[in-house]
Amino acid sequence: MAEDANPFESLQSQIDEAATHIDVADDVIERLKYPERVLETNLTVELDDGTLERFKAFRSQFNGDRGPYKGGIRYHPQVSRDEVKALSGWMTYKTAIVDIPLGGGKGGIVIDPDNYSESELERVTRTFATELRPLIGEDRDVPAPDVNTGQREMNWIKDTYETLENTTEPGVITGKNLASGGSEGRVEATGRSTVLAAREAFDYLDKDLEGATVAVQGYGNAGWIAAKLIDEMGATVVAASDSSGGIYNPDGFDPVAAKDHKNETGSIVGYEESEEEITNEDVLTMDVDLLIPAALENAIDADLAEAVEADVISEAANGPLTPAADEVLEGKDVFVIPDILANAGGVTVSYFEWVQNRDRFYWSEEKVNEELEGHIVNAFDALVETYEEHNLDNPRTAAYVVAIQRVANSFEESGSWP
Ligand code: GLU
């Protein structure tokens, strides 16, 4: 990881930057820079050997002006209060830019899941779900997967909540597997929005996606699906990395076979179609048409940004550029599709899952993908309209202008009470 920008400060500076271009009062902007509340809790969990361990955990409910708080729960040793607060803010503006009736939230547990057995992880998850129980609910706060969590954890949380509440409420959480009330297309949704947004950007910039070269940093759920889908659209994935290192082939490689290799060996490194082993930094600074950062925050700082050679960046990760990096890239005319749009597919299909759960009526994968495409294309069009109308230099600022305006409108229209 590059320079350690505080992600909460990054969020606030992004809001401040956008605020200079909109007609929203300063006191309302002030409200939109802080979470409404943050739960900090200590989970005491019995390990397999009978000893107890304490895990710190958080849930930040940033803003509920447009609907129930919405956002994932991550398991990572570097989870912190400020990180969770920032991520919950990004969720608020993400749900607003894609115009779904939800607010923003985020949670996390300070844990490296690789060091624990499945039954230990189940106890950690159920203990957290018990702590969250009074705060969550399909009309209150709806968690979802994030870094190092997936269907398994979501199913545990749903089961814990429903058991304690003596009810059936699948919409209390999204990202479940199909048997537990999940949606078709949810697993692929984040990567799908990253490439749909890239397709729209290429079109806008009059660039050809067919034959375009692509580098993908991070080969988890978002990164590898983005690699697969962009390859299907005719682009050529030439480089990718995961936490162990990177692979490179100037003629491109098969992203699905690279993923199979990772499933078998734990990493994409060593994949036979790779001509050269490269570093994570090499991937981020490669001379490609499209760069997809799909790992954690702060992957690119100002120094690294000087070396970036991509023409377009589609942010599959949350917060991969520091604000200083953003400024450098703006100066170099790199078109950055911001995270709040580029990775919004995950929460958009979470919204569809929630709708299906409430209706007890389930959609085909085709319908999910079609609806998702509509939301991403509309969001991109709104971004471009604002980008041009305000003569902005940075697409991220345009996205925040649209999103902040929408959240502020909801707040202002509801009046003051008491
Ligand atoms: N964790 C994902 C995100 O950062 C998905 C959140 C959700 O589906 O609520 O957008």
Side-chain angles (χ1 to χ4, degrees):
M1 199 187 292
E3 157 216 310
D4 261 351
N6 177 322
F8 186 58
E9 287 168 12
S10 301
L11 165 81
Q12 294 192 319
S13 81
Q14 289 158 349
I15 296 171
D16 284 336
E17 171 62 31
T20 62
H21 302 280
I22 27 178
D23 194 18
V24 173
D26 289 353
D27 47 4
V28 176
I29 293 292
E30 186 66 9
R31 165 182 172 76
L32 301 182
K33 285 168 64 176
Y34 292 88
E36 291 176 19
R37 64 190 69 79
V38 182
L39 167 78
E40 177 173 337
T41 174
N42 288 289
L43 313 173
T44 303
V45 179
E46 188 175 325
L47 303 183
D48 292 342
D49 66 5
T51 59
L52 299 177
E53 187 163 333
R54 179 180 63 86
F55 299 90
K56 194 180 273 285
F58 306 93
R59 180 75 184 169
S60 169
Q61 297 183 328
F62 196 91
N63 186 286
D65 292 337
R66 289 171 42 89
Y69 308 102
K70 185 83 193 81
I73 294 176
R74 64 173 53 180
Y75 289 2
H76 197 275
Q78 254 99 51
V79 162
S80 69
R81 193 180 176 96
D82 271 356
E83 183 197 44
V84 169
K85 280 159 62 179
L87 288 159
S88 66
W90 286 325
M91 286 309 303
T92 302
Y93 301 109
K94 194 183 296 189
T95 53
I97 182 80
V98 288
D99 209 6
I100 56 179
L102 296 165
K106 196 72 147 210
I109 305 181
V110 185
I111 183 173
D112 182 348
D114 286 347
N115 297 340
Y116 298 89
S117 71
E118 176 158 356
S119 61
E120 287 169 336
L121 289 174
E122 179 167 356
R123 288 196 292 280
V124 169
T125 305
R126 288 189 187 275
T127 307
F128 191 34
T130 306
E131 283 296 310
L132 289 175
R133 188 192 57 80
L135 303 179
I136 60 176
E138 64 179 13
D139 288 320
R140 278 194 286 272
D141 182 353
V142 184
D146 198 78
V147 173
N148 290 331
T149 59
Q151 294 179 334
R152 182 181 69 172
E153 289 74 17
M154 301 307 110
N155 297 345
W156 288 333
I157 294 173
K158 168 182 175 276
D159 180 66
T160 308
Y161 181 85
E162 291 185 333
T163 304
L164 294 173
E165 292 284 323
N166 187 27
T167 191
T168 305
E169 196 180 314
V172 66
I173 196 152
T174 59
K176 306 174 293 290
N177 73 4
L178 288 181
S180 293
S183 175
E184 295 285 357
R186 174 63 183 84
V187 173
E188 297 80 19
T190 305
R192 187 173 291 277
S193 62
T194 304
V195 304
L196 285 171
R199 184 194 71 189
E200 293 304 293
F202 271 59
D203 198 38
Y204 175 64
L205 300 168
D206 253 337
K207 282 173 66 72
D208 213 353
L209 196 56
E210 182 79 39
T213 50
V214 183
V216 181
Q217 179 241 4
Y219 222 65
N221 183 48
W224 101 262
I225 298 280
K228 172 177 165 257
L229 296 177
I230 205 99
D231 175 74
E232 284 170 12
M233 283 179 180
T236 306
V237 182
V238 295
S241 65
D242 62 21
S243 50
S244 308
I247 59 175
Y248 174 63
N249 185 331
D251 300 322
F253 56 84
D254 176 4
V256 181
K259 171 67 175 164
D260 290 343
H261 180 87
K262 184 175 167 72
N263 287 348
E264 279 158 30
T265 66
S267 171
I268 50 171
V269 176
Y271 168 52
E272 61 188 20
E273 270 190 64
S274 171
E275 292 220 329
E276 207 181 302
E277 298 207 344
I278 55 175
T279 65
N280 190 50
E281 262 188 43
D282 294 333
V283 172
L284 293 167
T285 54
M286 189 153 285
D287 187 4
V288 283
D289 297 303
L290 174 65
L291 170 65
I292 300 179
L296 292 172
E297 301 92 85
N298 297 339
I300 304 180
D301 64 7
D303 283 348
L304 203 60
E306 298 285 357
V308 165
E309 293 203 48
D311 298 331
V312 178
I313 296 181
S314 191
E315 296 183 330
N318 288 310
L321 310 186
T322 66
D326 219 9
E327 227 177 283
V328 171
L329 294 172
E330 187 185 306
K332 292 171 68 167
D333 271 340
V334 180
F335 192 90
V336 178
I337 311 163
D339 47 6
I340 60 170
L341 198 167
N343 70 35
V347 73
T348 303
V349 177
S350 275
Y351 163 55
F352 301 155
E353 180 175 334
W354 180 76
V355 168
Q356 294 169 74
N357 289 156
R358 307 187 73 136
D359 281 356
R360 303 293 199 264
F361 185 84
Y362 288 84
W363 306 355
S364 66
E365 187 174 355
E366 202 185 350
K367 178 172 162 76
V368 169
N369 289 343
E370 197 182 301
E371 293 284 343
L372 170 61
E373 184 164 353
H375 277 269
I376 299 300
V377 170
N378 288 344
F380 190 84
D381 289 349
L383 179 156
V384 163
E385 203 185 307
T386 299
Y387 184 65
E388 291 183 349
E389 191 185 311
H390 292 259
N391 207 6
L392 299 171
D393 296 322
N394 192 324
R396 187 187 315 279
T397 307
Y400 274 93
V401 167
V402 175
I404 290 172
Q405 190 74 62
R406 286 181 181 160
V407 180
N409 285 350
S410 299
F411 174 70
E412 285 172 334
E413 291 305 318
S414 46
S416 287
W417 185 89

